[in-house]
Each structure stands twice: as structure tokens, then as C-alpha cells.
Amino acid sequence: DRKDEILNALDQVPALPAVAQQVVSLPADPDVDAKAIAKAIEYDPGMTANVLNMANSSYYNSGNRVNSVQLAVARLGNKQIAGMVLGSSVAPIAMKEVDGYDLPPGALWEHSVAVAVACNELACSCRTGSSAGAFTAGLLHDIGKVVLGHFVHVDADAIRKIAFDDNVSFVHAERQTLGIDHAEVGALLLKRWNIPDEIVEAVRWHHEPHLSSDLHRMTANLVHAAEQVVTLSGIGAGEDGSQYPTSPEAAAALNIRPALVEQVLNETAKALAKVSSLFQPTLARRSS
């Protein structure tokens, strides 16, 4: 297999901006308050503008407009703000074309945003508690494809033969051919970025949530179920999109039923355009 070569390729992925690394690490500390997170964001004028834009969007804000990062953090919570910052930082990477998965520019990001939104909808409908961690994990669940795409492209025939001829999960075919799959690659990348364990685990096991720890299994279940729902809609789905089985354990834990799937699909479709557009200021600024 080519696992060592793939692990070396992780070194080529750009590091997160300093402000993103700092903000994402802060919510894991129970002694950190909104002021500390706001202060970290306010050192970056561009990120400040993005956070305020998101906090005042119709998706996040149903009340009065907020005019400071501190008010935004107080209203939306530490984890939600950290997810916004992380999403803004990762969007330029995830917007690129991904060879090997038949994903044109923007398709992976659109799929990722849709899964994040579906995580929120599922968490609310299933009353699982806070969905902030799941939303962020949804944004990042397929980030490993950015690294693995080239290797999947090179070994495409072998991987497709295993996946489609033998009718097994695409991650199984990746592991058998390359020695590693995109979920594990994504988790390793997030660990390098010091992303909280809840998100790392959900990304690592989003195709096999029953293998995650008890502590973070609900987050993994939400990301798994959300991706299954989004795949039904075809949003940003690559060639591998239909080649991932549904986890019966996750479906049972969330009490997934046809009516719920239809509801989540409808709400996700309505919210997708709003949420995707929130990251455009970052993309425009970095490409200029």
C-alpha cells in the first residue's frame, strides 16, 4: 500500500491561520469565557468581519443585529463561533477540485456545508442536545479527500473494482488499496490542527459511527446520518457517493424515519444557499 507516501502528503496541507488555531482550541477549556474568544478573533480584522457577517445572517440570527464579536460569541456560544472561524479558514482548501472523487471546484465544499446544515436539522429534530460540534464536524467530515484525492485518482481502477464489483464500502476499498481511507486521513489532519477530539472522532468514524467512543458517538451518528441524507439529494456527491452503507446503529439511535429524512432534506435545501454564501468574503479576500 501507499500509506507512508500519503502520510507525507499531509505535510503539504497549509496550516490553519493562527487566529483559527487559537479560537478552535479555546472552547475545549472550561475556564475560557466569551471575552477570551472574542479578543482572539478581534486581532484579525478580516475574521472579525466574517464572524459579524455570519452572526447577523438569517441562518444564525433571528433577533437584533450584533455589532461586536463579543456579543456574537455571547449569543451563539463558544463552539458555534469556533465552527464559523474554522469553516472560514478551511473553505478555500475545500473549494478546490478533488481528483479521484470526480468533484469539480466547489462541489466538496457544497457537500460539506449541506452535511453541516443537515447535522443541525437532525440534532434539533432528534433532540440530541447541542449541535455545534456536529455542525463543525459536518463541515470537515470529508477534508481527508483533499489529501487522498490524488492517490485515489492514480489507483482509481483498483479502488473502483473493489468497491463496485465486490459491492463494498468505498472506505474499505481505499483501505485495501492504499492502506488508509479518507476518513482516517481527515482525522489525522485535524489532529495536526489541534481540533477538539469530538470533531476529530466524528470525522474519523463518520462512515462507521459504531466504532467511535461512547463519549462522542452521538456526534459521529449525526454526521453519518446527515451525510446519508445529503447523498440522497445528490448535493456535491462524487462517484463514491452512493457506495457507503447506512449504519443501522446510527439510524436506531436517532430514530431515523422516512418523514424525518424528507423534513431534513427540505430544510437543508432551503438553508444551503444562505450558509454557503456566508463564506464567500473569505474566499474573495484570499483569491485577490
Side-chain angles (χ1 to χ4, degrees):
D1 60 51
R2 305 174 69 186
K3 185 173 181 178
D4 288 342
E5 190 178 351
I6 292 165
L7 294 178
N8 288 335
L10 286 170
D11 294 331
Q12 307 306 313
V13 180
L16 285 179
V19 63
Q21 292 189 41
Q22 185 178 4
V23 170
V24 169
S25 67
L26 287 175
D29 184 345
D31 296 325
V32 168
D33 61 13
K35 290 181 180 179
I37 292 179
K39 186 175 181 180
I41 294 170
E42 287 167 347
Y43 279 116
D44 185 322
M47 191 64 72
T48 296
N50 272 4
V51 167
L52 289 177
N53 180 46
M54 293 183 206
N56 286 311
S57 70
S58 58
Y59 183 74
Y60 287 108
N61 186 5
S62 58
N64 297 326
R65 289 182 62 83
V66 295
N67 56 13
S68 73
V69 175
Q70 189 170 326
L71 282 175
V73 177
R75 175 176 289 180
L76 296 175
N78 294 2
K79 281 189 176 182
Q80 192 74 71
I81 293 292
M84 289 179 177
V85 170
L86 193 53
S88 293
S89 301
V90 171
I93 300 171
M95 285 289 291
K96 297 177 180 178
E97 179 181 5
V98 185
D99 289 334
Y101 295 96
D102 193 27
L103 292 169
L108 176 62
W109 183 242
E110 183 182 33
H111 175 76
S112 300
V113 172
V115 171
V117 172
C119 281
N120 260 359
E121 298 299 333
L122 277 170
C124 293
S125 298
C126 301
R127 299 180 181 178
T128 63
S130 174
S131 61
F135 182 91
T136 305
L139 280 178
L140 301 174
H141 75 284
D142 272 346
I143 194 68
K145 288 184 175 181
V146 173
V147 177
L148 205 63
H150 166 72
F151 299 94
V152 171
H153 179 71
V154 170
D155 289 305
D157 290 342
I159 293 171
R160 288 170 186 156
K161 182 175 178 56
I162 294 170
F164 296 106
D165 290 359
D166 298 343
N167 194 29
V168 298
S169 172
F170 207 85
V171 288
H172 174 83
E174 288 174 345
R175 284 197 294 261
Q176 191 166 328
T177 306
L178 303 173
I180 197 168
D181 60 72
H182 69 269
E184 183 176 358
V185 171
L188 290 171
L189 179 60
L190 298 186
K191 280 186 177 180
R192 291 187 177 210
W193 287 346
N194 295 315
I195 304 301
D197 289 344
E198 176 192 8
I199 296 165
V200 173
E201 265 206 59
V203 169
R204 173 66 185 93
W205 301 115
H206 70 274
H207 289 302
E208 302 159 305
H210 62 284
L211 296 177
S212 63
S213 68
D214 290 344
L215 180 61
H216 300 308
R217 186 165 300 151
M218 185 54 72
T219 305
N221 284 340
L222 285 167
V223 177
H224 173 83
E227 182 168 46
Q228 292 285 317
V229 169
V230 168
T231 298
L232 288 174
S233 72
I235 297 172
E239 186 179 3
D240 61 315
S242 62
Q243 204 61 26
Y244 299 105
T246 299
S247 163
E249 294 90 350
L254 296 171
N255 192 23
I256 300 294
R257 349 173 261 295
L260 176 61
V261 172
E262 184 176 356
Q263 173 192 331
V264 172
L265 274 172
N266 289 338
E267 293 301 320
T268 298
K270 286 192 290 186
L272 181 59
K274 297 178 184 177
V275 181
S276 294
S277 66
L278 295 179
F279 297 94
Q280 295 306 311
T282 294
L283 301 181
R285 187 173 67 251
R286 292 195 177 191
S287 62
S288 60

